[in-house]
Amino acid sequence: MNHIHRRFSEKFRSSWVKVKFFSDDPGFSGGNFRGRFCEALKQALVSPLLLDRNSLTCPGARYAFGWDTKEADREKMLKFCPGVSNSSSLALAIPVPGRLIKKFKYVGLNFEGEPDLLISYLEPEKVMEILKVYSDKQGIGLDVSLSSVMSICEGVAVRSFIDKKISLSFGCRDSRRFAGIGMEKLAIGIPANMFNSLLELEPLVVNT
């Protein structure tokens, strides 16, 4: 599984970022980064990154990852995120759960080892190929919920991790501006429990 993102790259002819959540210091460092989570995904394609609260300037991402959850932090996030101006609009834009409840201190991007999920910015045709494999394997279509607020950090990373299902997002104004998501692409997140199925690999059999 160490090269799972390479297998996805080969199968779907695309670039992927491995995402891993850590409760404790993983004992390695990765790059110097300060900015938005959606930007970090782009930089991680060049070199691995290890993110913590101080790495992220976006209050939306810090809220989604469970790092800033006090009422004052929430108010700051409401003012910062485009399209969110009051608590009622937040409730409509971000379905529960909207943030990680379990305490994680770090987010690793593209480090060696098995990830919790993969994220990519893909053309619709590539997404279509993935959804076809999903439908063939699951026997049903994919049910998705879309948001234009906190679209990558919450709408893709957190939602894929919590719900254990494929997530899609068309991005938000900030992610398209700062992360360089082209007008012809959308974001997709795939949790670890779906890797083998989408790659059409046989489940690992452990001898007892």
Side-chain angles (χ1 to χ4, degrees):
M1 290 285 267
N2 284 353
H3 304 293
I4 193 69
H5 62 318
R6 296 181 187 174
R7 295 185 183 182
F8 270 84
S9 297
E10 292 168 358
K11 182 176 179 65
F12 299 109
R13 303 177 302 284
S14 51
S15 298
W16 296 79
V17 175
K18 299 193 297 182
V19 180
K20 178 71 175 180
F21 296 104
F22 296 98
S23 298
D24 301 302
D25 189 338
F28 51 74
S29 60
N32 293 314
F33 178 83
R34 184 163 174 78
R36 291 165 169 79
F37 178 72
C38 49
E39 292 179 276
L41 293 172
K42 181 180 178 181
Q43 186 170 323
L45 291 173
V46 179
S47 60
L49 293 176
L50 184 63
L51 308 176
D52 59 14
R53 182 191 177 279
N54 294 326
S55 302
L56 300 180
T57 60
C58 175
R62 294 202 299 264
Y63 179 88
F65 294 146
W67 293 336
D68 288 358
T69 57
K70 296 180 180 179
E71 184 60 27
D73 299 323
R74 184 172 178 274
E75 292 299 322
K76 184 176 181 180
M77 180 268 292
L78 291 174
K79 294 177 181 179
F80 182 89
C81 293
V84 180
S85 58
N86 55 61
S87 58
S88 61
S89 65
L90 176 66
L92 291 173
I94 307 174
V96 177
R99 59 185 175 87
L100 295 178
I101 302 302
K102 181 178 179 180
K103 192 69 173 180
F104 293 101
K105 294 183 179 179
Y106 301 91
V107 182
L109 302 180
N110 267 356
F111 280 98
E112 287 297 318
E114 184 174 347
D116 292 318
L117 67 142
L118 294 174
I119 294 179
S120 186
Y121 301 144
L122 299 180
E123 298 86 355
E125 183 179 8
K126 298 294 190 297
V127 176
M128 177 195 72
E129 293 175 8
I130 293 173
L131 295 186
K132 185 179 185 306
V133 175
Y134 173 88
S135 297
D136 290 345
K137 291 289 184 178
Q138 303 296 322
I140 57 174
L142 179 67
D143 182 25
V144 297
S145 176
L146 300 173
S147 172
S148 61
V149 179
M150 296 165 59
S151 56
I152 308 301
C153 53
E154 191 279 336
V156 174
V158 169
R159 200 170 298 178
S160 287
F161 180 71
I162 293 177
D163 294 346
K164 306 300 181 188
K165 60 185 286 187
I166 295 175
S167 60
L168 300 175
S169 174
F170 290 102
C172 58
R173 289 198 298 268
D174 275 2
S175 64
R176 290 195 171 275
R177 176 184 175 190
F178 294 102
I181 304 175
M183 61 181 297
E184 76 287 356
K185 294 185 178 182
L186 63 154
I188 183 170
I190 299 177
N193 61 294
M194 301 197 70
F195 291 167
N196 282 357
S197 178
L198 292 177
L199 290 174
E200 300 181 288
L201 299 176
E202 293 298 324
L204 179 65
V205 176
V206 179
N207 293 323
T208 58

